Amino acid sequence: MYVNTAGGKRVECCSEESHSGGMGWLYTLDMVEVFATSEIADLPRIFRCGESVFFLYRLISQHAREAWAHFQSQSANTVGALQGFFAWLQSYKTLYFESLHPDAAPTTTLCRACGQHLSPYLTPTMSAPIPPSFRTFAGHEPLHSHHIQ
C-alpha cells in the first residue's frame, strides 16, 4: 500500500502488527523509499529495483529510514511514532521551494547551516549539486547532508 504525501513522495507501508490489547490492527513501516513523481509511472521497475534512479531521492530515502528509527525510539507506541514520522516527512514539501503560495514568487529552500540552496560539495556518486536533503527531527530545518554530524 502506498501512502501519498505532499510533494510527490510516496511511502510504502508493508506490514501489520497486532495491537497489544488485541483490538484491531496497527500499521507500521517495514520499508521507506522515496521516489520522484516521474518514476511512479514505472511501477514494475520500482517493485523490481526498490529504489529511485535519482541520487537525491535515494539520499532522502536513507534519511527517512533513519528518521523512522529515531521516531520509533522516541515514542512509546506505534501511533506516536507514525505521527512524528509523517510530520517530519511532510516537511519535504519544501524540498525545492520554501513557499509555493500562488500569489508570491517561489523562493528556494536554503540550508540552515550554510545558507546555500545547492550544495557546493560533490561526491563521486553525485552528478550535480543537490538541495538540502535532510530535515532535522525536532524542528524540520533543512540541511545539506554533509552538515549532519
Side-chain angles (χ1 to χ4, degrees):
M1 168 173 133
Y2 281 96
V3 178
N4 194 5
T5 62
K9 293 153 205 65
R10 294 175 185 259
V11 177
E12 186 172 339
C13 304
C14 296
S15 75
E16 301 171 350
E17 68 180 17
S18 168
H19 187 274
S20 60
M23 303 173 69
W25 294 92
L26 289 180
Y27 292 92
T28 187
L29 300 179
D30 282 341
M31 181 176 75
V32 179
E33 293 294 329
V34 180
F35 298 92
T37 54
S38 62
E39 293 181 276
I40 300 305
D42 191 9
L43 285 176
R45 191 205 60 79
I46 289 174
F47 288 123
R48 190 174 55 256
C49 300
E51 65 179 18
S52 176
V53 297
F54 300 108
F55 175 77
L56 174 62
Y57 292 99
R58 289 193 309 268
L59 191 58
I60 294 171
S61 294
Q62 178 184 344
H63 296 319
R65 289 187 289 273
E66 293 165 359
W68 175 240
H70 167 79
F71 288 113
Q72 278 185 302
S73 70
Q74 299 297 311
S75 182
N77 59 49
T78 304
V79 173
L82 284 168
Q83 288 172 335
F85 175 76
F86 281 113
W88 176 86
L89 190 63
Q90 180 73 16
S91 70
Y92 279 93
K93 70 182 178 186
T94 60
L95 179 61
Y96 297 104
F97 298 104
E98 286 284 339
S99 171
L100 296 176
H101 193 276
D103 297 333
T107 57
T108 55
T109 301
L110 302 178
C111 174
R112 296 302 186 255
C114 68
Q116 306 256 339
H117 174 62
L118 297 176
S119 172
Y121 301 100
L122 289 176
T123 66
T125 56
M126 295 170 58
S127 59
I130 59 173
S133 63
F134 182 75
R135 301 297 187 265
T136 59
F137 300 139
H140 308 155
E141 297 291 323
L143 295 170
H144 292 117
S145 294
H146 63 269
H147 294 299
I148 303 169
Q149 306 216 11

